[in-house]
Amino acid sequence: MTVRPDSNGKPHASCDGRELFVSWSHSDAVAVLAFSWETPIGVDVERVRSRRNLPELATSCLTPGELAYWQQRPTAARFTRLWARKEAILKVRGEGFPALLDTVCTLREPVHDLVAPPGYRAAVAVGSVQLPYEERLNHA
């Protein structure tokens, strides 16, 4: 098995000509590790944190659809869920930060919530992630 970083520093491994994609994340003492043969994968885990500036943060990094979803119940837990989903998508895309977070729509992408300990949110994205919904509309 060989392990090498890609141009963004994300590790890739291969064994007998098959690509093994690796993704990991940690927040405090909670960690998530994922592997996928021949299909890009991204995971993220985040601790739910109360923030005084949560409305401003949500406005600056959520898509209009996500913001409307969050505003139905504007809690730190719901925001953290969206944030973990965004990071998982960025990791599967191989983009990471800094990216234009408000262009990544977690409500339309192939991303799934993971079971996480109380007070944490986690997500995984697998495969080729498409353009954000808003971008797809603009390109149609």
Side-chain angles (χ1 to χ4, degrees), residues 14-108:
S14 60
C15 182
D16 297 328
R18 290 181 66 198
E19 183 111 24
L20 178 65
F21 292 86
V22 181
S23 182
W24 67 78
S25 177
H26 69 89
S27 182
D28 301 324
V30 176
V32 178
L33 181 61
F35 301 93
S36 174
W37 286 110
E38 300 176 1
T39 303
I41 191 164
V43 295
D44 189 53
V45 62
E46 299 290 335
R47 181 170 61 90
V48 176
R49 293 179 171 90
S50 296
R51 302 168 195 258
R52 287 190 326 243
N53 66 336
L54 194 53
E56 293 83 8
L57 185 59
T59 300
S60 70
C61 69
L62 299 179
T63 65
E66 290 170 329
L67 188 59
Y69 168 81
W70 178 75
Q71 288 172 332
Q72 292 171 5
R73 196 171 64 229
T75 65
R78 186 172 266 210
F79 176 82
T80 304
R81 174 182 182 244
L82 293 169
W83 186 272
R85 292 168 65 94
K86 281 182 182 289
E87 284 205 36
I89 291 167
L90 291 172
K91 288 178 179 180
V92 79
R93 286 182 178 178
E95 294 177 16
F97 288 102
L100 299 175
L101 293 174
D102 62 350
T103 68
V104 178
C105 184
T106 67
L107 303 176
R108 304 278 187 208

